[in-house]
Structures are given as structure tokens and as C-alpha cells.
Amino acid sequence: MKKEGDTVIQGMGRLVAHITAGLVVLWLCTAAVEAEYMKYKYPKQPLKVRIKDLMKRMTLEEKIGQMTQIERKVASADIMKKYFIGSVVSGGGSVPAPKASAEAWINMVNEFQKGALSTRLGIPMIYGIDAVHGQNNVYNATIFPHNVGLGVTRKDPELVKRIGAATALEVRATGISYAFAPCIAVCRDPRWGRCYESYSEDHEIVQSMTEIIPGLQGDVPLNYPKNLPFVGPRTKVAGCAKHFVGDGGTTNGINENNTVIDWNGLLNIHMPAYLDSIKKGVATVMVSYSSWNGEKMHANYDLITGYLKKTLKFKGFVISDMWGIDRITTPPRANYTYSVQAGIHAGIDMVMVPDEFVEFIDDLTLLVKKNVIPMSRINDAVRRILRVKFIMGLFENPMTDLSLANHLGSQEHRELAREAVRKSLVLLKNGKDGNEPLLPLPTTSEKILVAGSHADDIGNQCGGWTIEWEGLSGNITAGTTILTAIKNSVDPATEVVYNENPDTEFLKANNFSYAIVAVGELPYAETSGDSNFLTIAEPGYSTIANVCAYVKCVVVVISGRPVFIEPYVEKIDALVAAWLPGTEGQGIADVLFGEYGFTGKLARTWFRTVDQLPMNVGDSHYDPLFPFGYGLTTSPRVMKASH
Ligand code: BGC
Ligand code: BGC
């Protein structure tokens, strides 16, 4: 018994050993097969193979998750995981905490990313933000001039390319890899509240400014496949050409309204910069809230799928604007299921939902299950989203760290912004009669006056999309105000007196050599910026009238567009359009005091009265105060040392 038992036990032991060995071999084989099948995980695999491999593993739920972009306010690691969310957005002013540090941003982004990576397939999410003039939601970031000012530097697209590269670094400094920029709107009416987001009324200037795209995303390598998005790794970000298409052409400049123009007009004015952007490998295109000849762009199959995807062969993904599909109906969200159907059918690949994502996911799922939206449409969307994520190396580098944090608001970037400010200024008048120019100003005087609502206010000189969505007056972030810049530029012996809105007595009582008056618009964004009057903020006009009546004056206009100024021009000795220069006010003083010359040329027509509007260069009723292309020059007064 004992012996037999032993034998049996020994035999069983051998059998177990064999089975174990067999299992090990089987496990190894499975692992090998598995490894071979998980092709999407291997960067050496061709892009197409990776996309195809991953696509075939994905469930409908996982695919729809990729198409869903949610606001950071409603995001968490658990939500990312549970709904397979593909993307997160910071809306304007949506920050992890007031004055959040780069580290706080990075921790937040990594937290969401961990959730995304913990899903079955571990597809990384992409985080998007409006870095439209620098990483502008972030405290202490370098704020560059808004596009309206950059358009003035038109002969220098290389400058905007460098700005793009600096912006990419500052966006990456906060752990983010996707910027909703550039806005390539061609603003045809300054009454539009987003006119400052546009480089010019002239599509050729807008086209040349698309050089910001290789700045943000990196240069498309030689022999790279045509029309394929290109985004370099780590120090570059995915860009977004917006808002497709015709956003700058709405009737009377009303935001999100109707652009009435024939096909040739659309093609010749509003479309060209999209062709440049696609050529330069732009990763994404955002759809416009506006309509074209009465049809909402968010529901426009012919333009999104037909033209952008099929004719232009754009291969990146199309993203909706925030609540953009909701606004397909009037009133918005009147029939959300219909909105989802119309938007996805039109060709939108990722929907900036941004908050009620469960409803979006449920509606889209049901529409697919009922065959209202074909699976092929979902597959097209997901393929495009994955394509961008693979190309930019998100699968290889999903997590972020502090290694680029020192670029946020760096001195180097501030110098670049200052250069951009210098080049974006337009000198509109210099001296009461042309023979006696007031500019450049002497740095040595006894006593000078600085006045105006915009002379000592970082928020005012940055405009909208700065810290808050609509911007904010006050010293809201680090930077140099015009007043500080003037103090930095004059000789220490020069007394600089600041009085925001001096009265007659004060002006008479002092013996000022000259005055610098900085006035303009208060910050706004989108619809709140729509204006039929285009006036500057009170008491700007009376500040001009008072000061210029008693003191030789330079008026610096800080505004997102040309403003009503005609009756005041004759009272003013020198007039400078500074647009929305951003944090580096020193660039203004650099040019006022002649360290550099004025070079800027208007990229917009300066109207006389608002009833002329719209009025663009080439129009038959063209009778501007200052024409498109206008701009006086000065020579640098101080010779710079040449070493
Ligand atoms: C704006 C876009 C912006 C998006 C995300 C929208 O309201 O139209 O330009 O990218 O919000 O903040
Ligand atoms: C958001 C912006 C967005 C806007 C759309 C705001 O609440 O902060 O990002 O552009 O809504 O109208």
C-alpha cells in the first residue's frame, strides 16, 4: 500500500510537474502572441498598424469615450476611467487653484492621466487649453500681444513662429500638450468682440501668420506624408486652427452669428489660411459657432466632411467648440439628441461637451445602436483622434513632470514678448505739423506726466483671455506696466508724475515737458466684446482732451481693434496704436524713447465713424481715417552698442 501509494504520489508529482511546465510554455506562447498582437503599444510599428490594431480592440463605449472632451471642473481620475474619456479642457479661467503653480497644474493633469491609463487599453487622454497669447490662463506666464497686434508685424512671420515655440514651452511647463490656437479668423468687422483674436482683415496676412503653427507643433520633416498632422515630442504641443469657417465674417460683426457670403467669397477670404495650416501639419481644427448663409457650421456636412476632410484631405481631428453642438438648435440644447446627431453626422470627431458628458455619451451610444449614426462615422472620428495621439508621442510620454516648468514666464520669453510689442506698435501721427515730430521722446526732461486708465494696469494691457476668460483690470499677473516701463526708460533725473485723470488746475499748475496718455478699451472676450460704438472706456476721451489742451501729448491707444478717435486726432500731438500688448509694457517705452524705431503697418483699416462699417481695404466706399498698411516710421535715436 505504502509503496504503491508512494508510486502514485510520485507519478502524480511528475504529472503536476509536466502540467506546470506545459502551462508555463503555454503562458509564454500566449504572452508572445499577445505581445505581437498588442502592436499599438510599440512605437516602432507603422502609424497605420498601430491605429488599426488599437481600433480593433476597442468597444463602442471606449470609442465614444475618445470622442468626449470634458471640463476639468467635472473631471477626476475615476471619471476618466469609468467613461474612457479621451480629452479634458480648461475653459477660459478654469484653473486648478487661483495663482496655481506649474506644479499644481502638472499634478492635476497627471491625476487625470492616471485615470485614463488605468483603463483596459490604457489610451492616454489629451489636455487642451486656450493658449491664445501665451499660456494665458496661468499665473505668471508670459503674455504675448494678441493676434491683432501680431498682424502688424506681418513681414516677420518668423517672429510669430518663435512666439509659437515659446508658447508651446510654457504650455508644456504646466503639463499640457494641446493649445486651441491659432485663431485664423479674418475679422472683416471690428464691431466683432473677437476681432483682436484675428491677425488681420486681409487673408494674406492671416495666411503668413500661420507660421505660428510650426512654432507650436514643430517643423514638418522633409518627405513627411502630405496633409498628415505633425507634432514634435515633449517641447511641442498640438495646435488648433479655429474657427472653421467664416467666424470673422458675420453680419455687423455679431459674435456667433451668420456669415452671408457666396462660395467664392468664403473660399477666397475665410478659407485660404486653412490650406496653409493643413500644409503646416496642424493637428486639429475647431468648428465655428457661426453659420454660413443661415446654416450652423456645427451641422455643416458639406464643409466639414465634404470640403475639409475630403477635398482638403485634412487628416487630424475636428473638434467642436464649447457647447457648440448645443447651439445647433435655437434656443441652445432644445433637442440635445438632435444636436449630437447633426454634429457627429457633419463630421465633428471630438465634442467639447464640456460638462454634461453622461448625456452626450448616452445619446451618442443610442444613436449608434439604432443605426442613426453609422459605425463608420465613429471609426473615422476615433481613427483621427488616435492618429494625433500616436503622432505626438502621447502613448510613449503620457505623464508629465517639472522638467520644463522653468520656462513658465521665463526671462527669455519676456524678452521675446517685448520684441513683439515693439514690432506691433503703429505710429499714426507724429507732431501737429509733420515738420515737428514729437517722437522719439527725450529721456532727459525736468518733469513729465503719465496719465490714463491704461497707464498702470497689467490687466487692461493684456485684454481678454488673460487669467480670466474675459480678462480683468488690475495687476492680475506679473508684468511691466506702461508707467513702470516709462520710469525704467527715462533718465533718473527726470521726474515722472502719474495722475490717472488730471484736471485743468493740476495741468496748469505743473510745467510738464510732455505727457504720455494711455487709454483704451477694458478687457472683454467673445460676445461681451461686441460693440456698435467702438468707443474707449470713460473717462478716456476727456483725459485726452484735458491733457492735450495743456501739454504736448502722446496718446497710446490700448485696444483690441481700431476705435472711434477721429475728432480727437487734431488735439493729439502723437498717436500710437498699441493694440493689446500683454505683460511686457517695456516694449512700448523702448519705441517711445527711440531705443528702437516704429516699424508697424496697420493690418486693419482705421475707420472714421462706425456707420462706415464694415469697411475693408479694397471696398468701393473706402474712406478711412488711416488706411490699411499705414504706419509712420522713426529711426532709433540711441545708437546701440554693437557687441
Ligand atoms: C471659444 C473657443 C475656445 C473654447 C474653449 C469657446 O467658447 O469660442 O475659441 O477655444 O471656448 O475655451
Ligand atoms: C468659458 C470659455 C468659453 C465660453 C464659451 C466660458 O464659460 O470659460 O472657455 O470660451 O464660455 O462661451
Side-chain angles (χ1 to χ4, degrees):
M1 274 293 279
K2 217 176 167 202
K3 248 187 166 174
E4 269 186 49
D6 276 9
T7 320
V8 168
I9 288 168
Q10 278 168 8
M12 276 177 70
R14 271 195 299 274
L15 188 65
V16 168
H18 277 134
I19 291 173
T20 311
L23 279 176
V24 168
V25 169
L26 192 70
W27 177 78
L28 282 172
C29 289
T30 323
V33 168
E34 188 88 337
E36 196 200 314
Y37 276 153
M38 302 287 260
K39 281 183 181 152
Y40 77 95
K41 293 197 170 168
Y42 294 87
K44 290 239 161 69
Q45 290 287 344
L47 177 64
K48 275 191 186 147
V49 174
R50 295 183 83 183
I51 296 171
K52 202 170 163 197
D53 180 67
L54 180 49
M55 290 285 296
K56 74 162 192 253
R57 296 168 195 277
M58 292 173 78
T59 61
L60 176 62
E61 209 185 349
E62 287 163 334
K63 288 179 178 173
I64 288 177
Q66 283 303 306
M67 297 170 68
T68 310
Q69 184 180 65
I70 66 173
E71 225 288 338
R72 55 153 286 286
K73 292 184 193 120
V74 297
S76 69
D78 287 346
I79 296 280
M80 300 302 291
K81 180 172 186 195
K82 182 166 174 207
Y83 295 95
F84 305 100
I85 299 297
S87 184
V88 180
V89 48
S90 263
S94 180
V95 300
K99 302 191 177 180
S101 64
E103 191 174 6
W105 280 93
I106 287 169
N107 290 341
M108 174 190 69
V109 174
N110 277 343
E111 183 61 18
F112 298 152
Q113 192 64 290
K114 275 185 218 155
L117 295 179
S118 69
T119 54
R120 190 175 70 94
L121 296 167
I123 305 173
M125 64 89 194
I126 183 170
Y127 196 109
I129 196 164
D130 291 286
V132 299
H133 60 150
Q135 172 59 317
N136 47 65
N137 287 294
V138 177
Y139 187 69
N140 265 264
T142 308
I143 304 297
F144 293 91
H146 267 300
N147 290 351
V148 66
L150 296 181
V152 163
T153 71
R154 55 175 119 178
K155 291 286 179 300
D156 200 356
E158 179 266 344
L159 173 69
V160 290
K161 184 175 177 185
R162 285 188 284 141
I163 291 173
T167 302
L169 276 173
E170 295 209 18
V171 171
R172 283 287 188 175
T174 53
I176 294 174
S177 56
Y178 179 18
F180 303 126
C183 175
I184 54 170
V186 182
C187 171
R188 302 291 287 174
D189 193 324
R191 289 174 292 183
W192 186 34
R194 307 192 77 161
C195 202
Y196 66 80
E197 296 186 55
S198 163
Y199 295 105
S200 178
E201 72 193 40
D202 173 52
H203 68 84
E204 286 184 12
I205 292 181
V206 177
Q207 285 178 268
S208 67
M209 294 290 121
T210 59
E211 267 308 284
I212 197 166
I213 293 169
L216 289 164
Q217 301 193 340
D219 281 308
V220 177
L222 278 172
N223 303 323
Y224 193 74
K226 243 174 120 186
N227 302 322
L228 194 63
F230 176 76
V231 186
R234 284 170 181 277
T235 58
K236 296 293 173 188
V237 297
C240 178
K242 71 187 188 182
H243 310 80
F244 187 79
V245 60
D247 50 351
T250 58
T251 306
N252 299 334
I254 298 170
N255 191 223
E256 306 189 10
N257 217 259
N258 190 18
T259 296
V260 181
I261 196 168
D262 64 17
W263 172 239
N264 278 332
L266 192 75
L267 216 58
N268 294 334
I269 295 173
H270 300 284
M271 197 67 87
Y274 284 94
L275 276 70
D276 296 271
S277 301
I278 294 169
K279 223 182 278 167
K280 292 174 186 182
V282 77
T284 75
V285 169
M286 189 186 295
V287 180
S288 180
Y289 288 128
S290 57
S291 303
W292 177 46
N293 293 337
E295 191 185 341
K296 295 273 180 179
M297 276 306 306
H298 278 258
N300 196 316
Y301 175 90
D302 290 339
L303 283 176
I304 298 173
T305 298
Y307 196 72
L308 180 63
K309 290 184 176 177
K310 292 194 172 148
T311 306
L312 298 184
K313 303 197 162 50
F314 171 62
K315 300 270 195 312
F317 67 81
V318 175
I319 186 166
S320 81
D321 204 335
M322 192 173 265
W323 300 291
I325 61 167
D326 308 36
R327 299 180 192 178
I328 289 172
T329 58
T330 313
R333 227 184 160 80
N335 183 345
Y336 194 62
T337 307
Y338 170 74
S339 278
V340 174
Q341 181 189 330
I344 301 298
H345 168 74
I348 293 168
D349 303 312
M350 183 183 281
V351 174
M352 195 184 287
V353 175
D355 31 24
E356 305 205 32
F357 58 90
V358 178
E359 194 178 348
F360 168 74
I361 290 170
D362 287 350
D363 281 3
L364 183 51
T365 307
L366 209 64
L367 286 165
V368 175
K369 289 200 167 144
K370 285 182 173 162
N371 289 321
V372 178
I373 291 177
M375 204 52 211
S376 57
R377 179 66 269 277
I378 301 296
N379 287 339
D380 171 57
V382 178
R383 217 176 281 126
R384 288 167 179 273
I385 293 164
L386 295 178
R387 184 178 293 138
V388 169
K389 289 183 175 182
F390 278 126
I391 287 173
M392 64 192 288
L394 253 195
F395 282 76
E396 285 67 59
N397 295 302
M399 302 300 284
T400 148
D401 58 37
L402 276 164
S403 56
L404 296 170
N406 62 332
H407 290 288
L408 187 70
S410 72
Q411 197 50 41
E412 195 186 335
H413 292 171
R414 292 188 187 277
E415 289 301 327
L416 175 60
R418 179 174 168 181
E419 176 188 347
V421 173
R422 290 194 292 261
K423 292 178 172 171
S424 65
L425 304 176
V426 183
L427 181 57
L428 298 171
K429 179 176 178 180
N430 191 11
K432 281 227 166 92
D433 63 32
N435 301 325
E436 249 188 275
L438 181 59
L439 299 174
L441 296 165
T443 51
T444 313
S445 313
E446 214 157 288
K447 187 158 61 166
I448 67 170
L449 171 67
V450 177
S453 49
H454 288 57
D456 193 26
D457 194 308
I458 288 286
N460 283 357
Q461 74 191 43
C462 289
W465 295 108
T466 313
I467 305 299
E468 295 286 343
W469 170 43
E470 300 187 289
L472 213 58
S473 293
N475 289 324
I476 57 173
T477 190
T480 306
T481 67
I482 297 168
L483 175 64
T484 304
I486 291 167
K487 287 180 177 165
N488 291 341
S489 290
V490 295
D491 190 273
T494 304
E495 189 189 345
V496 180
V497 176
Y498 171 58
N499 185 330
E500 194 174 323
N501 188 30
D503 59 24
T504 313
E505 293 314 309
F506 178 84
L507 292 162
K508 279 203 243 174
N510 283 280
N511 191 16
F512 293 115
S513 306
Y514 58 84
I516 298 168
V517 181
V519 290
E521 293 185 308
L522 297 178
Y524 53 79
E526 302 186 42
T527 305
S528 72
D530 284 1
S531 167
N532 284 326
F533 308 107
L534 297 179
T535 48
I536 61 172
E538 288 301 335
Y541 292 117
S542 55
T543 311
I544 295 176
N546 288 343
V547 175
C548 297
Y550 294 96
V551 189
K552 264 202 166 100
C553 71
V554 184
V555 173
V556 179
V557 177
I558 305 288
S559 62
R561 49 197 161 185
V563 289
F564 177 63
I565 197 88
E566 186 177 33
Y568 297 88
V569 174
E570 60 163 1
K571 305 185 204 297
I572 294 169
D573 295 275
L575 177 62
V576 176
W579 316 107
L580 297 169
T583 50
E584 304 316 303
Q586 197 64 50
I588 296 177
D590 287 345
V591 184
L592 289 181
F593 292 99
E595 191 150 343
Y596 292 82
F598 279 93
T599 55
K601 304 285 178 208
L602 284 181
R604 303 208 59 82
T605 295
W606 204 294
F607 63 92
R608 294 176 188 278
T609 57
V610 287
D611 49 79
Q612 293 178 299
L613 301 174
M615 176 174 65
N616 293 290
V617 60
D619 286 353
S620 54
H621 70 296
Y622 204 64
D623 177 28
L625 180 60
F626 303 109
F628 175 86
Y630 185 75
L632 303 170
T633 55
T634 57
S635 313
R637 201 167 42 81
V638 185
M639 290 306 288
K640 303 203 76 191
S642 61
H643 54 270

